Amino acid sequence: MKFIKILLSKHYAPRWLILQIDLLFCAFSVILAFLIRSNFDFYDNNLREALPFSMGAFLLLRGISFYVFKTYHGVVRYTSTEDAKRIFMALTTGSAIIVVFNIISSFTGGNAYVPFSFVVIEYFATALMMTSFRIFVKIIYSEIKSSEIEKKNVLIFGAGESGLITKRTIDHDKDSDRKVVGFLDDDLSKRGKFLEGVKIYHLEHNFEELVSKYKLDEVVISVQELSRKRKEEIVDFCLKHKINVKAIPPATHWINGELSSQQISDVKIEHLLEREPIRLDQEQIRSQISDKRVLVTGACGSIGSELVRQIIRFYPREIILLDQAETPLYELELELREQSNYVNFRTVLADVYNKSKLEHIMSSYTPDIIYHAAAYKHVPLMEENPSEGVMTNVAGTKNLADLAVAYGVKEFVFISTDKAVNPTNVMGATKRVAEIYVQSLNAQIQNQNSNGTKFITTRFGNVLGSNGSVIPRFRKQLTAGGPITVTHPEICRYFMTIPEACQLILEAGMMGKGGEIFVFDMGEPVKIVDLAKKMIVLSGLRPGKDIQIIYTGLRPGEKIKEELLNSKEKTLPTHHEKIMIGKVREYPFPLVAKEISELIAMIGNKPDKSLVAKIKTIVPEFLSNNSVYEELDKLTIHPGIELNQEQE
């Protein structure tokens, strides 16, 4: 038929055609209602006499209601619940008018023009035909559209609510190149059952059979609360069978509360390194931060910016964002204004080495809490520019710590690194010097005034996806077609997600009494070459064939394995299983202040080697590795800051 061809063509059907079809359904419903009323007696005289008038009245009334509610405006092939609502309103309004007319007629002594049973039959018949027609066209169009696309056979892991949503999302997206052929689930009681006509299988019991039966292309992980270990097992299982693995994002990231098929994306390496969610003492952290003025230095960095996002959830009175990077600071300001609707903040462009500027900031805002995340962190750069490392990591920390005491800051949380433990590079050594300073300063204050500033240090390893870290670098190299460069085949690193690291910083800051160095449970170290290989495989490529891995050699100052404590340090447990207190060597503040002041005075006045030699006198365990400064370790130098007899 011509109108079906029009409806299924690439062009949209004209509105007048849809209106005519709807009125045709209405006319057929009127005839059907009369036939049912007369027990299908085609020769009933009452039927013949009443039909013309009733037909005209109904068509006129339906035509007006269809026009008012625009039932014919929707695109039939994309019929939605909104179209169904329009049909319902139009038919209900028209039928209600007839019912009212009948009631008025009966009260005025006249006869009802249309029997109520007739109205009901016509109403439901018209509604059924109009909606069925639209659904029929939508299904036919979808089938034709789908047949033009070559489909990938897909299994969905998770036969629960999230899996069902994923299936419906794939099914409803007619431009999708996926076809759901089954569900996978760990629950053996679901095995063999059906969900919306699709069979449920068990991964370990049925997977190999399904691979050969359906020539599987893809597995989509839909389970929201899946342990890291189980996720890794599923990914490894699929990759072993050369099946691509996808995942859906958390429900909080869905667009307007609905999952989009475009959001079904590759499993990222970060997903496989994530750990179980951290349980925080939300109320204690809230009581610490709520209605307080908080200063975050390095606010635009990976850690600093995430700290800001988490801190604002606890409603501080004001948060001061300090950084020396202009553009990132501006972008963070826009994010806070547009995405979080948080307005109680100030952006300050400043360098922590500039003490006079810092003093102006402290006097202007008088913060209650400081989270000091500003630092230079890249090992090779600091190895080549030790004076910059001392300026920011040592002098900057000293400036801020001294001003925190002077302006009565209640708490100072210093964010350090695992590279400060037995440092082999300038960056780690400067962070260790800063640790020594704030810890000894805390001891000095506590001896003089128990109500003084509390200095707390947090120490952890690499964070996933931070600026300049290994995973973003590998991802860029993959995008460029390789090769992926790894410094050493045995190099290992601890990893933690940025949100997890910041949560632990807030928790440690809340529980700290002053002087502690909190060490975070970083889990098991990960071999970087294994990380690279898995990233290649997750991209659908083959290590050594599609993408080469090249070993470039350790960079100056780089360790093969990082440590969170040195051999002389021990840990004490806290109420949080992922946070320990490192028992580190303490130093007398007068000697520390003298040595560090001498170090800072050397900036710009002494060559780099003299500067590094001085750092080695403060941190005697600092032994350079693969660096030009290794020759300093062969010299007889100052053995380090000596302890007072009563402190040993």
Side-chain angles (χ1 to χ4, degrees), residues 411-428:
E411 190 169 288
F412 185 110
V413 180
F414 172 54
I415 297 159
S416 189
T417 170
D418 58 358
K419 292 176 179 62
V421 182
N422 293 328
T424 58
N425 52 69
V426 171
M427 192 283 284

Side-chain angles (χ1 to χ4, degrees), residues 609-610 612-613 616 623-637:
K609 281 191 178 180
S610 298
V612 174
K616 288 177 181 290
L623 300 175
S624 297
N625 184 41
N626 193 33
S627 169
V628 295
Y629 304 118
E630 284 183 78
E631 62 186 61
L632 297 174
D633 300 322
K634 300 171 185 177
L635 303 175
T636 303
I637 57 175

Side-chain angles (χ1 to χ4, degrees), residues 216-269:
L216 285 178
D217 299 291
E218 198 170 272
V219 170
V220 178
I221 299 175
S222 70
V223 181
Q224 297 284 295
E225 299 295 333
L226 191 64
S227 69
R228 182 202 63 78
K229 183 180 178 183
R230 184 56 177 152
K231 190 180 293 183
E232 191 168 4
E233 287 173 353
I234 294 167
V235 170
D236 288 343
F237 202 80
C238 293
L239 295 180
K240 175 185 172 184
H241 291 84
K242 298 179 180 173
I243 306 296
N244 289 333
V245 190
K246 305 283 183 180
I248 67 170
T252 52
H253 295 175
W254 294 358
I255 302 169
N256 298 323
E258 293 186 2
L259 177 65
S260 166
S261 60
Q262 281 70 39
Q263 291 182 295
I264 301 173
S265 58
D266 293 331
V267 171
K268 293 184 172 62
I269 193 68

Side-chain angles (χ1 to χ4, degrees), residues 597-607 610-612 614:
S597 295
E598 290 176 0
L599 172 65
I600 294 170
M602 295 172 67
I603 298 173
N605 299 317
K606 297 289 184 179
S610 298
L611 205 64
V612 174
K614 181 64 177 178

